[in-house]
Every structure is written in structure tokens, then in C-alpha cells.
Amino acid sequence: MKNEFKIIANLLPSQSRVLDVGCGDGSLIEALIKEKNIDARGIELEEDKVKECISKGLSVIEGDAETELSQFPNKAFDFVILSQTLQAFYQPENVLAQLLRIGGRVIISIPNFGYWQIRASLLIFGKMPITKSLPYTWYNTPNLHMCSIKDFYQFCEKKKIKIERVIGINGEKTSSIYRINLEMKNLLSEVGIFLIR
Amino acid sequence: MNYKIENIKKIIVTSPLKLDCGQIIKDFPIAYETYGELNEKKNNAILIFHALTGDQFVAGNNPITDKKGWWTTAVGPGKAIDTDKYFIICANVLGGCMGSFGPKDINKENDQPYGLKFPVITVKDMVRAQESILEHLKINKLLSVLGGSMGGMQVLQFCALYPDKTFSAIPIASTASHNAQQIALNELARQAIMSDPLWNKGNYYQDEKIPKNGLAVARMAAHITYMSDKGLQEKFGRKLQEKKDYEFTFNADFQIESYLRHQGKVFVERFDANSYLYISRAMDYFDLSKQFKNGLSEAFQNHNTKFLIISFSSDWLYPTKNSKDIVIALNASGANVAFAEIKTDKGHDSFLVEEPEFLKTIKGFLDSNFEIFKNEK
């Protein structure tokens, strides 16, 4: 399991009800069910990945999170996970509002546009950055709304979304992020994981 | 209809069944067939519900028509629904014509076939009648219930009636509520049957003059709705039937005409016109949400059943929208649900034909859920 998923799994208590939005091939859900006895479900846009999930016995529905989260009742899940896809929605703000509505807590990870390699790429080479977590070129990227850890942190504060924990990932290294070290971690983290409600 | 339907498996349901229409029936037969072996723990049983014109002969050979079972693409040894592994049960629906209690049976009160004296039945009545088979086979909990089209309606109805009697459920290309277009198409078929003078208000059993033409037209119309525009075009296009040019008559010039006529002709050999009226009526009356005060999601409240909903992208008779409505209701009630729309050109009939992606998905779902179910206490 990739480092990010391990961190997310550690944030989840066993036997909780979890929805993984954009669950891909279902590897996180599968691990959560097997290892932590979590009631994990998923929603995924790509048909092939949905069929792969179903074949593994996972409860995954084919659908577009942008429009179809409204079908879930308020607080239907203890946790809702959104891994590195918020930036790909047309209306990330609306999607986030839905996530907070249907989940008691939301775990959201974002590829950090404030990461030093990204800043350097633009500053030194004057080109749109291409990194491990952002492998696309400007003309084929699905990422419409890139943001930095700092951007998202401030967004939560502005929207009065309660931030319970922030974890920065840099390769295999992880660290906690607070208001006090935000500037530094915003520079050094490739991915940020937010636990919010 | 010269087939013999003796010597097929049936049970006689002796306890009275109060139908939705208010009438009470008892001592009536439900015909069924099974495939594979029930294991010792009785946890490998799957109940399949058939569609409008299906019967209990899902796999292998149909001994009555001497043709292949209607779902041999999916059910059999080594198939997606593997009879080497699972015990498959399928019953002929109430109102049917393959051994279960239906309008061609003799009414003991006057020694005449029931015809239109047969009570109007519903999908709920069908499911309640079939539940007796589980009692008879002493199966407490099924691994799964599944079915396409009207079979899917029975799956939903079964889950709503007996939430503890199945571990999983797969309604395929189906709906929780027949809509105006679906009712309209059924009415078209019924009018075709009833306009045939030989139908004779349902009294045609005595002298074997059956309303073949009406029933054939009903089948032809229905058959068009089972295929997609693209599927039809690819298979037939404007191809002519064994001729080089138009005949300038009303004979079957086009291959599609000839195909439909053939479908109509073979159908009347195996199906009873009155059964068609009764079963299609049951579909029209089907509206699961009406059975619950707070709508469809109440039907699945506090369910542990694992649902897999499947639709087909080119199915315009029971389109994906119908399946999604079921998914939404299930999600609203917190039920455990998976959903996939299979991309295909084969229309509503996709579940009956060789459609590898569909079959693979069903197989994966059943096999992985069997592993979970058999380890359950």
C-alpha cells in the first residue's frame, strides 16, 4: 500500500463507515475491510475500475462525484476520503461541501502546488511543472484547480471548516503541519493530508 | 402448444395465498428446476428469477422445447454462474405456462380452463408463491437472488419481502417501478393478442385454435424493444432476405422482417397468449415504492443484503436511469450497494447473450461474496 494510504488508514478507527470517493481499483477499500474491519464503500467514474472493484466483492458504484454525492443522506458515513482529486473537479467548493455533508469527518489529500520542486520549475525554467505526483503536461492535465497546502489551509479557515489534523508527505517521510510551521511544510511537502469536519 | 408438461418438477402449495387482488388461492402447482448440488451447509444456493417469457429451464437443455435453456450463456458448468460450484434454483412464475399455476390450468369448479377467470396477479404474488420452494428445499438463506428485466423486479421484491433470506442480490437491467413507456409497450402487445379473433376473450383452449397471429405480433413488437438501434443496424442493416432486389410485395423483403416473423413464429409454439396478458400486467402493476409509506428507500431499510445493480448502456427499454434510481434509493437507506453500467450495443437483451464484461462482473461478485458468506456464522 502506498504511503499516503497507510497514513489515511491510520486515521480511521476500526468498524467505522467509510466512503472512498474516486476509489480507483479499490485497493484502499480492500485493505480497510481486511485489516481494520471497516465498512468501506466507494464511488468511481471509470467503468473498468468499477468492474474490477465489483469482481473483488467491493461495494463500489459507478458514478460522478461531481454530481452524484447528493444521493447520500446527511452524515451517511463516519469518514469520507478524497485522495488527490479535489483539483480535478469543475466545482471543488461544491464537492467539498457535499463531502462535509455526507461524512462526519473528511480526509482529503492534495498534491501540493507549493512544493519547492514545483516552485523551482516555474521560477527557473519558466515552464509548467511536471513531478511524480503531478505527471501531466499543461495541455492534457485533468487538474483544473491546483492549490498549495497553504491555500487549502487558509480556505478551510475562511470557510470555517474545522481542521483537526494536517500531515505532510515528502517521499517516505511524514510530518505534522500546524499553523506555526505552515510556511516551511508548504515548501517541503509533496502531498498534504487534511482531516477536517 | 403440443408440448407435454407432465414429468417436470413441481410442488403443490397447499397453504392459502392471499393475492394482491384479494382472491385467495391454494393447492396450486409451482414448477421448478435445479442445477448443481446443494452443499452440506446449504450455503451455495442461488435463486434465479426469469423474465416475462422465460421459464424454469435456465441451463442445459429445455426438455419441453428441446432447445437450449434461456440463460446458458451465464449458467452451467464452468460458466459465470457455475453449476459445479453453486446450486441453482429457478421456478416458473405464477401465471406462467410451463407447469406453474396459470390461465391454461383447469378450473375445478367447472372443469374448464381458467382463461380470463384466472385472478390478476402481481410480481409480489409471484415472489410469495416461489418462496415455498425454499421451504421445500429447506434453505434458510440463499447466497444470492438474481434476474434480469422482470426477473430483476422479482429480485427487488424478494429482498423487500424477505430481507434475511439472501446474502446478496443482483437485479439486472430492471426497474423498481414500471414507467409509462414500459406500460405502453406492454399494452401494445396485449392489444395485438386481444385483437386476434381466435383469442375469443381468452377461451381458445378447447379446439386448439389459438391466437397465434396476435401473439406473434406481440412478440415481434417486444423483440424490437430488446435490441438497440445500433445493434439492429449492424446485424441487419438494409440487407435483403435471399434476394437481389425488392419484390414490390409485402412479403419479407428485408432480413429484419424475416427475422422478426421467425421470432414470432417460434414463440407461439412455446407460449400461452393468456399467460402473456397476465404476466405483462403484473409487470405494469409493479411499483415497489407504492408498497411503502416513505417510498422506495424504506423498502431496503436496515438491510444487510449486498446489492449489485447492473444496467446496459444501449438498453432503452429499462435504461440506466431506472437502475440508478434503485441505487439512489439503496444509498439513501444506507444499504450495501455496488453498481455498474456495462457499455454494449446489445440493448436490453445484453444479459441473455454472450457479453464477456457483464459475465465477468457477475462471476467476480458471486465468487467473492461466496467466500464471505461461507465464513459467516
Side-chain angles (χ1 to χ4, degrees), chain A residues 16 26 29 33 82 110 137 143 152 156 165 181-182 194 196:
Chain A
S16 48
I29 303 181
I33 294 169
L82 183 69
I110 53 169
T137 44
N143 299 323
F152 192 73
C156 289
R165 262 192 92 175
N181 64 1
L182 183 58
F194 286 73
I196 55 175

Side-chain angles (χ1 to χ4, degrees), chain B residues 288-341:
Chain B
L288 193 55
S289 59
K290 207 170 158 252
Q291 295 174 25
F292 298 88
K293 212 169 57 198
N294 300 316
L296 188 54
S297 55
E298 195 188 332
F300 309 112
Q301 216 86 59
N302 306 319
H303 273 223
N304 292 318
T305 311
K306 288 187 75 177
F307 286 89
L308 168 61
I309 317 293
I310 295 185
S311 70
F312 300 103
S313 57
S314 55
D315 183 352
W316 58 273
L317 183 59
Y318 294 93
T320 293
K321 165 89 173 60
N322 290 168
S323 286
K324 277 218 163 171
D325 286 343
I326 301 169
V327 174
I328 290 168
L330 285 165
N331 275 327
S333 64
N336 206 323
V337 52
F339 162 69
E341 180 194 58

Side-chain angles (χ1 to χ4, degrees), chain B residues 108-263:
Chain B
K108 282 179 195 124
E109 277 173 22
N110 56 8
D111 282 331
Q112 300 286 320
Y114 278 92
L116 288 200
K117 295 251 162 53
F118 193 78
V120 171
I121 44 146
T122 63
V123 169
K124 191 174 173 187
D125 296 333
M126 291 176 181
V127 171
R128 290 175 68 208
Q130 288 178 67
E131 200 259 334
S132 313
I133 306 264
L134 301 184
E135 224 169 280
H136 169 69
L137 297 169
K138 298 189 173 61
I139 295 167
N140 292 326
K141 191 168 185 176
L142 295 155
L143 167 63
S144 199
V145 285
L146 77 160
S149 203
M150 187 184 80
M153 298 176 204
Q154 293 173 79
V155 168
L156 295 172
Q157 182 67 71
F158 183 93
C159 292
L161 280 172
Y162 313 110
D164 302 323
K165 288 201 173 174
T166 187
F167 181 74
S168 67
I170 317 178
I172 303 158
S174 192
T175 182
S177 167
H178 233 220
N179 67 22
Q181 187 183 50
Q182 290 150 355
I183 296 168
L185 289 161
N186 273 350
E187 171 62 0
L188 174 70
R190 284 190 293 268
Q191 285 301 330
I193 292 167
M194 294 189 288
S195 329
D196 187 327
L198 292 182
W199 177 65
N200 190 29
K201 294 200 165 81
N203 291 317
Y204 53 81
Y205 296 106
Q206 289 82 350
D207 39 11
E208 288 290 309
K209 278 188 195 151
I210 63 171
K212 277 186 183 177
N213 293 337
L215 184 59
V217 172
R219 177 62 169 180
M220 286 165 78
H223 209 88
I224 301 165
T225 69
Y226 301 155
M227 295 181 288
S228 76
D229 171 27
K230 194 170 176 207
L232 271 178
Q233 193 59 25
E234 271 169 15
K235 193 167 176 186
F236 303 103
R238 294 187 54 82
K239 280 184 271 187
L240 299 179
Q241 180 67 21
E242 292 166 0
K243 56 192 76 165
K244 286 206 175 74
D245 204 351
Y246 304 154
E247 229 179 52
F248 296 98
T249 67
F250 295 103
N251 295 330
D253 272 2
F254 294 100
Q255 275 186 12
I256 179 64
E257 293 175 306
S258 163
Y259 173 78
L260 285 178
R261 288 182 189 193
H262 175 74
Q263 291 297 331

Side-chain angles (χ1 to χ4, degrees), chain A residues 104-156:
Chain A
R105 285 179 168 77
V106 174
I107 298 173
I108 191 160
S109 72
I110 53 169
N112 180 21
F113 217 69
Y115 185 50
W116 68 269
Q117 280 187 9
I118 288 178
R119 298 195 204 187
S121 172
L122 204 56
L123 185 71
I124 299 166
F125 303 107
K127 283 163 71 85
M128 285 303 281
I130 297 172
T131 64
K132 199 156 63 83
S133 52
L134 292 169
Y136 304 97
T137 44
W138 66 270
Y139 50 84
N140 65 5
T141 181
N143 299 323
L144 310 172
H145 299 275
M146 289 306 308
C147 70
S148 67
I149 290 175
K150 190 176 164 186
D151 280 325
F152 192 73
Y153 201 101
Q154 290 178 345
F155 170 80
C156 289

